[in-house]
PDB file of all heavy atoms in Angstrom:
ATOM      1  N   ILE A 153      95.279 -15.938  12.376  1.00 93.00           N
ATOM      2  CA  ILE A 153      96.079 -16.508  11.291  1.00 93.00           C
ATOM      3  C   ILE A 153      95.714 -15.948   9.929  1.00 93.00           C
ATOM      4  O   ILE A 153      96.481 -16.041   8.978  1.00 93.00           O
ATOM      5  CB  ILE A 153      95.993 -18.046  11.256  1.00 93.00           C
ATOM      6  CG1 ILE A 153      94.563 -18.495  11.087  1.00 93.00           C
ATOM      7  CG2 ILE A 153      96.628 -18.641  12.487  1.00 93.00           C
ATOM      8  CD1 ILE A 153      94.422 -19.960  10.775  1.00 93.00           C
ATOM      9  N   GLU A 154      94.519 -15.361   9.805  1.00 91.00           N
ATOM     10  CA  GLU A 154      94.080 -14.833   8.502  1.00 91.00           C
ATOM     11  C   GLU A 154      93.109 -13.689   8.724  1.00 91.00           C
ATOM     12  O   GLU A 154      92.204 -13.805   9.531  1.00 91.00           O
ATOM     13  CB  GLU A 154      93.395 -15.920   7.684  1.00 91.00           C
ATOM     14  CG  GLU A 154      93.001 -15.504   6.302  1.00 91.00           C
ATOM     15  CD  GLU A 154      94.185 -15.195   5.417  1.00 91.00           C
ATOM     16  OE1 GLU A 154      94.927 -16.095   5.056  1.00 91.00           O
ATOM     17  OE2 GLU A 154      94.376 -13.986   5.107  1.00 91.00           O
ATOM     18  N   THR A 155      93.319 -12.599   7.996  1.00 90.00           N
ATOM     19  CA  THR A 155      92.385 -11.480   8.091  1.00 90.00           C
ATOM     20  C   THR A 155      91.866 -11.055   6.713  1.00 90.00           C
ATOM     21  O   THR A 155      91.008 -10.179   6.635  1.00 90.00           O
ATOM     22  CB  THR A 155      93.035 -10.241   8.760  1.00 90.00           C
ATOM     23  OG1 THR A 155      94.200  -9.883   8.026  1.00 90.00           O
ATOM     24  CG2 THR A 155      93.373 -10.531  10.206  1.00 90.00           C
ATOM     25  N   ARG A 156      92.368 -11.680   5.654  1.00 92.00           N
ATOM     26  CA  ARG A 156      91.890 -11.316   4.317  1.00 92.00           C
ATOM     27  C   ARG A 156      90.539 -11.972   4.079  1.00 92.00           C
ATOM     28  O   ARG A 156      90.418 -13.201   4.046  1.00 92.00           O
ATOM     29  CB  ARG A 156      92.909 -11.763   3.253  1.00 92.00           C
ATOM     30  CG  ARG A 156      94.211 -10.977   3.345  1.00 92.00           C
ATOM     31  CD  ARG A 156      95.191 -11.494   2.342  1.00 92.00           C
ATOM     32  NE  ARG A 156      95.531 -12.871   2.755  1.00 92.00           N
ATOM     33  CZ  ARG A 156      96.356 -13.649   2.094  1.00 92.00           C
ATOM     34  NH1 ARG A 156      96.880 -13.243   0.972  1.00 92.00           N
ATOM     35  NH2 ARG A 156      96.628 -14.862   2.527  1.00 92.00           N
ATOM     36  N   GLY A 157      89.536 -11.145   3.897  1.00 89.00           N
ATOM     37  CA  GLY A 157      88.173 -11.617   3.757  1.00 89.00           C
ATOM     38  C   GLY A 157      87.960 -12.564   2.597  1.00 89.00           C
ATOM     39  O   GLY A 157      87.247 -13.552   2.714  1.00 89.00           O
ATOM     40  N   ASP A 158      88.618 -12.284   1.452  1.00 91.00           N
ATOM     41  CA  ASP A 158      88.449 -13.153   0.280  1.00 91.00           C
ATOM     42  C   ASP A 158      88.955 -14.554   0.532  1.00 91.00           C
ATOM     43  O   ASP A 158      88.336 -15.536   0.135  1.00 91.00           O
ATOM     44  CB  ASP A 158      89.107 -12.529  -0.963  1.00 91.00           C
ATOM     45  CG  ASP A 158      90.588 -12.231  -0.768  1.00 91.00           C
ATOM     46  OD1 ASP A 158      91.022 -12.077   0.397  1.00 91.00           O
ATOM     47  OD2 ASP A 158      91.299 -12.133  -1.783  1.00 91.00           O
ATOM     48  N   LYS A 159      90.071 -14.697   1.261  1.00 93.00           N
ATOM     49  CA  LYS A 159      90.602 -16.023   1.579  1.00 93.00           C
ATOM     50  C   LYS A 159      89.683 -16.757   2.563  1.00 93.00           C
ATOM     51  O   LYS A 159      89.466 -17.973   2.433  1.00 93.00           O
ATOM     52  CB  LYS A 159      91.998 -15.907   2.189  1.00 93.00           C
ATOM     53  CG  LYS A 159      93.032 -15.355   1.269  1.00 93.00           C
ATOM     54  CD  LYS A 159      93.365 -16.371   0.195  1.00 93.00           C
ATOM     55  CE  LYS A 159      94.515 -15.842  -0.656  1.00 93.00           C
ATOM     56  NZ  LYS A 159      94.789 -16.736  -1.790  1.00 93.00           N
ATOM     57  N   VAL A 160      89.134 -16.033   3.525  1.00 92.00           N
ATOM     58  CA  VAL A 160      88.251 -16.651   4.500  1.00 92.00           C
ATOM     59  C   VAL A 160      86.970 -17.117   3.817  1.00 92.00           C
ATOM     60  O   VAL A 160      86.536 -18.251   4.009  1.00 92.00           O
ATOM     61  CB  VAL A 160      87.927 -15.653   5.643  1.00 92.00           C
ATOM     62  CG1 VAL A 160      86.843 -16.172   6.546  1.00 92.00           C
ATOM     63  CG2 VAL A 160      89.170 -15.324   6.437  1.00 92.00           C
ATOM     64  N   VAL A 161      86.394 -16.261   2.970  1.00 91.00           N
ATOM     65  CA  VAL A 161      85.166 -16.612   2.266  1.00 91.00           C
ATOM     66  C   VAL A 161      85.386 -17.815   1.347  1.00 91.00           C
ATOM     67  O   VAL A 161      84.592 -18.750   1.306  1.00 91.00           O
ATOM     68  CB  VAL A 161      84.622 -15.398   1.473  1.00 91.00           C
ATOM     69  CG1 VAL A 161      83.521 -15.792   0.532  1.00 91.00           C
ATOM     70  CG2 VAL A 161      84.160 -14.319   2.431  1.00 91.00           C
ATOM     71  N   GLU A 162      86.505 -17.817   0.649  1.00 92.00           N
ATOM     72  CA  GLU A 162      86.840 -18.923  -0.252  1.00 92.00           C
ATOM     73  C   GLU A 162      86.944 -20.231   0.533  1.00 92.00           C
ATOM     74  O   GLU A 162      86.410 -21.269   0.101  1.00 92.00           O
ATOM     75  CB  GLU A 162      88.145 -18.599  -0.971  1.00 92.00           C
ATOM     76  CG  GLU A 162      88.618 -19.647  -1.934  1.00 92.00           C
ATOM     77  CD  GLU A 162      89.935 -19.250  -2.561  1.00 92.00           C
ATOM     78  OE1 GLU A 162      90.150 -18.076  -2.881  1.00 92.00           O
ATOM     79  OE2 GLU A 162      90.785 -20.162  -2.709  1.00 92.00           O
ATOM     80  N   ALA A 163      87.618 -20.206   1.685  1.00 92.00           N
ATOM     81  CA  ALA A 163      87.806 -21.424   2.467  1.00 92.00           C
ATOM     82  C   ALA A 163      86.479 -21.923   3.041  1.00 92.00           C
ATOM     83  O   ALA A 163      86.214 -23.131   3.059  1.00 92.00           O
ATOM     84  CB  ALA A 163      88.825 -21.166   3.581  1.00 92.00           C
ATOM     85  N   VAL A 164      85.663 -21.013   3.535  1.00 91.00           N
ATOM     86  CA  VAL A 164      84.377 -21.423   4.110  1.00 91.00           C
ATOM     87  C   VAL A 164      83.453 -21.962   3.036  1.00 91.00           C
ATOM     88  O   VAL A 164      82.769 -22.973   3.249  1.00 91.00           O
ATOM     89  CB  VAL A 164      83.725 -20.244   4.867  1.00 91.00           C
ATOM     90  CG1 VAL A 164      82.310 -20.590   5.294  1.00 91.00           C
ATOM     91  CG2 VAL A 164      84.564 -19.881   6.088  1.00 91.00           C
ATOM     92  N   ARG A 165      83.433 -21.325   1.867  1.00 90.00           N
ATOM     93  CA  ARG A 165      82.604 -21.830   0.780  1.00 90.00           C
ATOM     94  C   ARG A 165      83.090 -23.193   0.323  1.00 90.00           C
ATOM     95  O   ARG A 165      82.268 -24.051  -0.031  1.00 90.00           O
ATOM     96  CB  ARG A 165      82.578 -20.837  -0.387  1.00 90.00           C
ATOM     97  CG  ARG A 165      81.682 -19.650  -0.061  1.00 90.00           C
ATOM     98  CD  ARG A 165      81.470 -18.786  -1.263  1.00 90.00           C
ATOM     99  NE  ARG A 165      80.523 -17.718  -0.905  1.00 90.00           N
ATOM    100  CZ  ARG A 165      80.559 -16.518  -1.401  1.00 90.00           C
ATOM    101  NH1 ARG A 165      81.444 -16.199  -2.325  1.00 90.00           N
ATOM    102  NH2 ARG A 165      79.666 -15.623  -1.034  1.00 90.00           N
ATOM    103  N   ALA A 166      84.401 -23.422   0.310  1.00 90.00           N
ATOM    104  CA  ALA A 166      84.915 -24.731  -0.062  1.00 90.00           C
ATOM    105  C   ALA A 166      84.458 -25.792   0.938  1.00 90.00           C
ATOM    106  O   ALA A 166      84.104 -26.901   0.562  1.00 90.00           O
ATOM    107  CB  ALA A 166      86.445 -24.701  -0.130  1.00 90.00           C
ATOM    108  N   GLN A 167      84.435 -25.444   2.209  1.00 86.00           N
ATOM    109  CA  GLN A 167      83.942 -26.385   3.227  1.00 86.00           C
ATOM    110  C   GLN A 167      82.460 -26.636   3.033  1.00 86.00           C
ATOM    111  O   GLN A 167      82.009 -27.773   3.128  1.00 86.00           O
ATOM    112  CB  GLN A 167      84.154 -25.824   4.626  1.00 86.00           C
ATOM    113  CG  GLN A 167      85.573 -25.728   5.063  1.00 86.00           C
ATOM    114  CD  GLN A 167      85.703 -25.023   6.391  1.00 86.00           C
ATOM    115  OE1 GLN A 167      84.732 -24.810   7.105  1.00 86.00           O
ATOM    116  NE2 GLN A 167      86.928 -24.642   6.715  1.00 86.00           N
ATOM    117  N   GLY A 168      81.723 -25.578   2.692  1.00 75.00           N
ATOM    118  CA  GLY A 168      80.290 -25.719   2.487  1.00 75.00           C
ATOM    119  C   GLY A 168      79.947 -26.593   1.291  1.00 75.00           C
ATOM    120  O   GLY A 168      78.979 -27.359   1.327  1.00 75.00           O
ATOM    121  N   LYS A 169      80.729 -26.488   0.227  1.00 45.00           N
ATOM    122  CA  LYS A 169      80.504 -27.314  -0.964  1.00 45.00           C
ATOM    123  C   LYS A 169      80.707 -28.793  -0.625  1.00 45.00           C
ATOM    124  O   LYS A 169      79.965 -29.643  -1.078  1.00 45.00           O
ATOM    125  CB  LYS A 169      81.435 -26.915  -2.102  1.00 45.00           C
ATOM    126  CG  LYS A 169      81.072 -25.599  -2.743  1.00 45.00           C
ATOM    127  CD  LYS A 169      82.014 -25.252  -3.842  1.00 45.00           C
ATOM    128  CE  LYS A 169      81.688 -23.896  -4.415  1.00 45.00           C
ATOM    129  NZ  LYS A 169      82.684 -23.459  -5.387  1.00 45.00           N
ATOM    130  N   VAL A 170      81.726 -29.082   0.174  1.00 35.00           N
ATOM    131  CA  VAL A 170      81.976 -30.481   0.555  1.00 35.00           C
ATOM    132  C   VAL A 170      80.843 -31.008   1.420  1.00 35.00           C
ATOM    133  O   VAL A 170      80.348 -32.094   1.218  1.00 35.00           O
ATOM    134  CB  VAL A 170      83.318 -30.585   1.296  1.00 35.00           C
ATOM    135  CG1 VAL A 170      83.497 -31.977   1.863  1.00 35.00           C
ATOM    136  CG2 VAL A 170      84.454 -30.239   0.364  1.00 35.00           C
ATOM    137  N   ALA A 171      80.373 -30.213   2.353  1.00 37.00           N
ATOM    138  CA  ALA A 171      79.351 -30.671   3.288  1.00 37.00           C
ATOM    139  C   ALA A 171      77.967 -30.797   2.649  1.00 37.00           C
ATOM    140  O   ALA A 171      77.174 -31.623   3.041  1.00 37.00           O
ATOM    141  CB  ALA A 171      79.261 -29.703   4.473  1.00 37.00           C
ATOM    142  N   LYS A 172      77.664 -29.969   1.648  1.00 41.00           N
ATOM    143  CA  LYS A 172      76.325 -29.949   1.070  1.00 41.00           C
ATOM    144  C   LYS A 172      76.208 -30.653  -0.269  1.00 41.00           C
ATOM    145  O   LYS A 172      75.200 -30.593  -0.926  1.00 41.00           O
ATOM    146  CB  LYS A 172      75.855 -28.501   0.901  1.00 41.00           C
ATOM    147  CG  LYS A 172      75.696 -27.766   2.220  1.00 41.00           C
ATOM    148  CD  LYS A 172      75.285 -26.360   2.009  1.00 41.00           C
ATOM    149  CE  LYS A 172      75.207 -25.610   3.320  1.00 41.00           C
ATOM    150  NZ  LYS A 172      74.913 -24.210   3.137  1.00 41.00           N
ATOM    151  N   ARG A 173      77.270 -31.313  -0.711  1.00 33.00           N
ATOM    152  CA  ARG A 173      77.282 -31.957  -2.021  1.00 33.00           C
ATOM    153  C   ARG A 173      76.304 -33.151  -2.029  1.00 33.00           C
ATOM    154  O   ARG A 173      76.379 -34.005  -1.186  1.00 33.00           O
ATOM    155  CB  ARG A 173      78.678 -32.454  -2.355  1.00 33.00           C
ATOM    156  CG  ARG A 173      78.733 -33.153  -3.708  1.00 33.00           C
ATOM    157  CD  ARG A 173      80.112 -33.569  -4.055  1.00 33.00           C
ATOM    158  NE  ARG A 173      80.905 -32.375  -4.302  1.00 33.00           N
ATOM    159  CZ  ARG A 173      82.198 -32.289  -4.110  1.00 33.00           C
ATOM    160  NH1 ARG A 173      82.867 -33.314  -3.703  1.00 33.00           N
ATOM    161  NH2 ARG A 173      82.837 -31.164  -4.335  1.00 33.00           N
ATOM    162  N   PRO A 174      75.385 -33.189  -2.988  1.00 41.00           N
ATOM    163  CA  PRO A 174      74.499 -34.351  -3.111  1.00 41.00           C
ATOM    164  C   PRO A 174      75.308 -35.611  -3.415  1.00 41.00           C
ATOM    165  O   PRO A 174      76.423 -35.543  -3.947  1.00 41.00           O
ATOM    166  CB  PRO A 174      73.598 -34.025  -4.292  1.00 41.00           C
ATOM    167  CG  PRO A 174      73.691 -32.543  -4.447  1.00 41.00           C
ATOM    168  CD  PRO A 174      75.046 -32.148  -3.960  1.00 41.00           C
ATOM    169  N   VAL A 175      74.738 -36.767  -3.107  1.00 43.00           N
ATOM    170  CA  VAL A 175      75.455 -38.036  -3.258  1.00 43.00           C
ATOM    171  C   VAL A 175      75.875 -38.304  -4.693  1.00 43.00           C
ATOM    172  O   VAL A 175      76.978 -38.764  -4.944  1.00 43.00           O
ATOM    173  CB  VAL A 175      74.573 -39.190  -2.737  1.00 43.00           C
ATOM    174  CG1 VAL A 175      75.227 -40.529  -2.973  1.00 43.00           C
ATOM    175  CG2 VAL A 175      74.249 -38.994  -1.285  1.00 43.00           C
ATOM    176  N   ASN A 176      75.023 -37.974  -5.667  1.00 45.00           N
ATOM    177  CA  ASN A 176      75.348 -38.327  -7.045  1.00 45.00           C
ATOM    178  C   ASN A 176      76.061 -37.224  -7.810  1.00 45.00           C
ATOM    179  O   ASN A 176      76.290 -37.383  -8.996  1.00 45.00           O
ATOM    180  CB  ASN A 176      74.057 -38.724  -7.794  1.00 45.00           C
ATOM    181  CG  ASN A 176      73.046 -37.595  -7.828  1.00 45.00           C
ATOM    182  OD1 ASN A 176      73.298 -36.542  -7.268  1.00 45.00           O
ATOM    183  ND2 ASN A 176      71.929 -37.838  -8.476  1.00 45.00           N
ATOM    184  N   GLU A 177      76.423 -36.124  -7.202  1.00 46.00           N
ATOM    185  CA  GLU A 177      77.104 -35.051  -7.907  1.00 46.00           C
ATOM    186  C   GLU A 177      78.592 -35.358  -8.041  1.00 46.00           C
ATOM    187  O   GLU A 177      79.203 -35.897  -7.129  1.00 46.00           O
ATOM    188  CB  GLU A 177      76.955 -33.726  -7.143  1.00 46.00           C
ATOM    189  CG  GLU A 177      77.557 -32.547  -7.867  1.00 46.00           C
ATOM    190  CD  GLU A 177      77.367 -31.267  -7.064  1.00 46.00           C
ATOM    191  OE1 GLU A 177      76.279 -31.064  -6.494  1.00 46.00           O
ATOM    192  OE2 GLU A 177      78.337 -30.494  -6.990  1.00 46.00           O
ATOM    193  N   GLY A 178      79.171 -35.015  -9.162  1.00 48.00           N
ATOM    194  CA  GLY A 178      80.602 -35.151  -9.362  1.00 48.00           C
ATOM    195  C   GLY A 178      81.074 -36.535  -9.606  1.00 48.00           C
ATOM    196  O   GLY A 178      82.220 -36.859  -9.332  1.00 48.00           O
ATOM    197  N   ARG A 179      80.246 -37.420 -10.095  1.00 45.00           N
ATOM    198  CA  ARG A 179      80.667 -38.803 -10.331  1.00 45.00           C
ATOM    199  C   ARG A 179      81.032 -39.052 -11.797  1.00 45.00           C
ATOM    200  O   ARG A 179      81.219 -40.180 -12.185  1.00 45.00           O
ATOM    201  CB  ARG A 179      79.573 -39.765  -9.907  1.00 45.00           C
ATOM    202  CG  ARG A 179      79.290 -39.679  -8.433  1.00 45.00           C
ATOM    203  CD  ARG A 179      78.612 -40.943  -8.007  1.00 45.00           C
ATOM    204  NE  ARG A 179      78.253 -40.837  -6.632  1.00 45.00           N
ATOM    205  CZ  ARG A 179      78.844 -41.505  -5.670  1.00 45.00           C
ATOM    206  NH1 ARG A 179      79.810 -42.316  -5.936  1.00 45.00           N
ATOM    207  NH2 ARG A 179      78.442 -41.371  -4.445  1.00 45.00           N
ATOM    208  N   GLY A 180      81.044 -38.000 -12.562  1.00 47.00           N
ATOM    209  CA  GLY A 180      81.422 -38.183 -13.947  1.00 47.00           C
ATOM    210  C   GLY A 180      80.234 -38.616 -14.795  1.00 47.00           C
ATOM    211  O   GLY A 180      79.089 -38.501 -14.388  1.00 47.00           O
ATOM    212  N   PRO A 181      80.480 -39.181 -15.986  1.00 47.00           N
ATOM    213  CA  PRO A 181      79.411 -39.602 -16.865  1.00 47.00           C
ATOM    214  C   PRO A 181      78.550 -40.680 -16.231  1.00 47.00           C
ATOM    215  O   PRO A 181      79.059 -41.603 -15.604  1.00 47.00           O
ATOM    216  CB  PRO A 181      80.107 -40.138 -18.110  1.00 47.00           C
ATOM    217  CG  PRO A 181      81.552 -39.789 -17.962  1.00 47.00           C
ATOM    218  CD  PRO A 181      81.796 -39.416 -16.561  1.00 47.00           C
ATOM    219  N   GLY A 182      77.254 -40.533 -16.366  1.00 47.00           N
ATOM    220  CA  GLY A 182      76.344 -41.529 -15.837  1.00 47.00           C
ATOM    221  C   GLY A 182      76.065 -41.355 -14.357  1.00 47.00           C
ATOM    222  O   GLY A 182      75.386 -42.182 -13.766  1.00 47.00           O
TER     223      GLY A 182
END
Side-chain angles (χ1 to χ4, degrees):
I153 59 168
E154 184 65 70
T155 58
R156 293 177 293 178
D158 56 337
K159 295 289 186 185
V160 172
V161 169
E162 180 182 321
V164 171
R165 284 189 176 148
Q167 291 174 13
K169 287 179 184 174
V170 172
K172 295 178 184 175
R173 179 177 292 152
V175 176
N176 61 357
E177 184 180 318
R179 297 200 184 251

